[in-house]
Amino acid sequence: QSKYDSSKTLLSSPADMFANEEGGPEPDWVITEREQFSDFRDLNKDGKMDKDEIQHWILPQDYDHALAEARHLVYESDVDKDEKLTKEEVLDNWNMFVGSQATNYGEDLTRNHDEL
């Protein structure tokens, strides 16, 4: 028998960990975190994140990680903003590509590609 009880609370709002010792207004990041938690993470609005809500937050079904990473690489590397990467643009930003999951951490850059 597992000691894990999936009905127990796993996470409350990260902003709840902020202790305002000065008594002043909350910083913007705390306000933003509270809004994010309330609007997007606490799906059943019980003030806590259960196992399903955490799973949805970490691995959202409606988010394409590969597409987001590819768009990020093109946005950061496409100097002339023609939405195409030249060999020079890739090489000028090699460090970003080598560290990217989209290129299998640089391994795909060592293979011959017709599109380059």
Side-chain angles (χ1 to χ4, degrees):
Q1 174 105 4
S2 172
K3 292 183 181 181
Y4 175 73
D5 179 357
S6 64
S7 67
K8 291 194 177 189
T9 301
L10 298 178
L11 185 67
S12 60
S13 171
D16 291 342
M17 293 183 278
F18 173 73
N20 191 349
E21 296 173 7
E22 299 173 14
E26 289 183 330
D28 289 342
W29 75 266
V30 174
I31 294 167
T32 300
E33 276 301 314
R34 287 192 198 285
E35 290 171 357
Q36 289 289 317
F37 181 82
S38 174
D39 295 346
F40 303 108
R41 296 183 189 140
D42 184 18
L43 301 175
N44 64 9
K45 306 300 180 201
D46 67 352
K48 308 164 197 151
M49 287 177 70
D50 60 26
K51 178 183 170 188
D52 292 334
E53 290 168 326
I54 292 173
Q55 182 176 5
H56 183 267
W57 174 37
I58 294 173
L59 297 170
Q61 298 300 312
D62 57 346
Y63 183 76
D64 186 337
H65 293 276
L67 181 60
E69 179 68 6
R71 285 182 177 160
H72 168 70
L73 290 172
V74 170
Y75 177 81
E76 293 295 330
S77 303
D78 186 18
V79 176
D80 60 8
K81 302 302 177 195
D82 65 352
E83 297 184 10
K84 299 174 188 171
L85 295 180
T86 64
K87 182 177 181 178
E88 290 75 27
E89 288 172 326
V90 172
L91 293 176
D92 286 347
N93 290 292
W94 69 270
N95 199 24
M96 186 178 314
F97 286 88
V98 169
S100 171
Q101 211 172 10
T103 63
N104 197 19
Y105 300 101
E107 188 175 319
D108 292 344
L109 298 177
T110 62
R111 299 183 183 137
N112 290 330
H113 291 274
D114 292 337
E115 64 271 22
L116 296 178

